[in-house]
Amino acid sequence: MKMKIEFYKYHGTGNDFVMIDNRNNTFQKSKNVIEQLCDRRFGIGADGLILLENDTDTDFRMVYYNSDGNQSSMCGNGGRCLVAFAKKLQLIENTTTFIATDGLHHATIDENHLVSLQMKDVATIKIAENYMFLDSGSPHHITMVDDLKALNIKDLGAKIRYSELYGAEGSNVNFVHQIAENEFAIRTYERGVEDETLSCGTGATAVAIAMNANKKTNANSITIQVEGGTLEVSFIENNGKYSSVFLKGPATFVFNGTIEIN
């Protein structure tokens, strides 16, 4: 039996998502269906799929799946794109609160589709000899490199993601190069996508916090250059705890349509 699905496609600095309005709860949450929709050759093509659902206490609920069809932890760029999608559906105007897997989020969107999304507070940061680790809504391994462009991110990222360091659950992996006092370039391997993505919002957030925590910068507003564009991360630091963490960047509508799948 074939199923017709109405969808919207968005990207946040190249990190792309299939968006579905599931307020009527009719979408079939099947791993195979989600994989097929995200497939870049046989489906719409995306790094992940996001359902916008009803929530009793906030404007809406965010349910996020990686392109492998599995439900996942928080996605920062996906959250920003979902805010733009909610505005397109006329659910919100310029401010919103919504619930995601890691808790409550506040966000604003301006007339240029720039979305500023409040991320979770961070109080625990591991600073090891050759890497850092923290959870910014999703787990992130962070390592600094001299030559970012020369790296084979898929191979290097997979080696760390599947290492004994993180077990079966794994971690996202970020490679970082410092450009200026308050500017860093990153490339990210995302678990669930199992490849490099053009941008990772929780990764950019994690890197900005980690660079402040290990004294690579004293800035509390940091520019992160990702492969797909530019993101900004700001925060308040107090005795090693990071609060009022905001991820800001464009959320771009690409196209919408319907697709028929088995």
Side-chain angles (χ1 to χ4, degrees):
M1 179 179 164
K2 292 205 169 179
M3 178 170 50
K4 226 178 215 184
I5 297 170
E6 184 179 5
F7 69 89
Y8 292 73
K9 177 83 180 276
Y10 278 80
H11 80 84
T13 52
N15 198 190
D16 59 342
F17 308 96
V18 173
M19 300 281 186
I20 294 173
D21 180 359
N22 195 40
R23 285 175 292 168
N24 57 11
N25 207 29
T26 57
F27 180 75
Q28 184 185 333
K29 297 176 182 178
S30 151
K31 184 176 186 292
N32 290 338
V33 168
I34 294 163
E35 271 188 298
Q36 192 176 338
L37 291 172
C38 291
D39 192 289
R40 296 195 182 276
R41 292 176 177 83
F42 299 102
I44 301 160
D47 292 327
L49 178 142
I50 303 175
L51 303 177
L52 185 150
E53 297 188 343
N54 288 317
D55 183 66
T56 52
D57 300 319
T58 65
D59 292 327
F60 53 89
R61 176 177 293 273
M62 172 183 177
V63 183
Y64 175 66
Y65 296 86
N66 281 321
S67 58
D68 64 1
N70 292 310
Q71 195 167 343
S72 189
S73 46
M74 181 57 187
C75 175
N77 286 326
R80 292 190 308 98
C81 286
L82 193 63
V83 170
F85 181 41
K87 184 173 174 68
K88 191 173 189 68
L89 295 176
Q90 298 183 324
L91 277 178
I92 65 167
E93 290 188 6
N94 298 320
T95 61
T96 185
T97 59
F98 67 93
I99 196 78
T101 183
D102 65 337
L104 185 68
H105 290 267
H106 301 275
T108 59
I109 180 169
D110 69 15
E111 63 276 3
N112 298 315
H113 308 291
L114 278 172
V115 177
S116 182
L117 173 67
Q118 186 170 17
M119 306 294 283
K120 67 178 277 189
D121 292 355
V122 174
T124 304
I125 302 163
K126 180 179 181 180
I127 302 177
E129 188 180 347
N130 298 316
Y131 71 93
M132 289 146 279
F133 176 83
L134 64 95
D135 191 317
S136 56
S138 288
H140 281 278
H141 176 103
I142 298 153
T143 186
M144 297 197 75
V145 297
D146 292 326
D147 189 353
L148 199 57
K149 291 191 173 171
L151 299 181
N152 184 325
I153 300 296
K154 186 171 183 178
D155 288 352
L156 288 171
K159 188 181 273 191
I160 296 167
R161 181 257 196 264
Y162 287 105
S163 69
E164 289 181 4
L165 203 57
Y166 299 113
E169 193 174 321
S171 174
N172 301 290
V173 183
N174 304 271
F175 300 91
V176 188
H177 176 71
Q178 186 161 10
I179 298 170
E181 160 64 17
N182 66 336
E183 186 175 359
F184 298 83
I186 72 169
R187 293 175 68 187
T188 303
Y189 175 97
E190 286 200 53
R191 63 174 188 171
V193 179
E194 305 310 333
D195 204 345
E196 181 177 11
T197 56
L198 291 180
S199 178
C200 177
T202 54
T205 304
V207 166
I209 290 171
M211 293 302 103
N212 181 274
N214 74 356
K215 310 301 182 194
K216 296 294 180 185
T217 178
N218 292 317
N220 62 0
S221 180
I222 294 171
T223 299
I224 302 289
Q225 301 294 347
V226 296
E227 292 293 284
T230 303
L231 294 167
E232 292 175 38
V233 179
S234 61
F235 47 76
I236 295 170
E237 185 271 333
N238 186 19
N239 291 324
K241 181 175 180 181
Y242 292 79
S243 60
S244 295
V245 181
F246 280 89
L247 171 69
K248 185 178 180 180
T252 306
F253 170 68
V254 185
F255 63 90
N256 67 299
T258 57
I259 186 170
E260 237 182 35
I261 59 168
N262 295 319

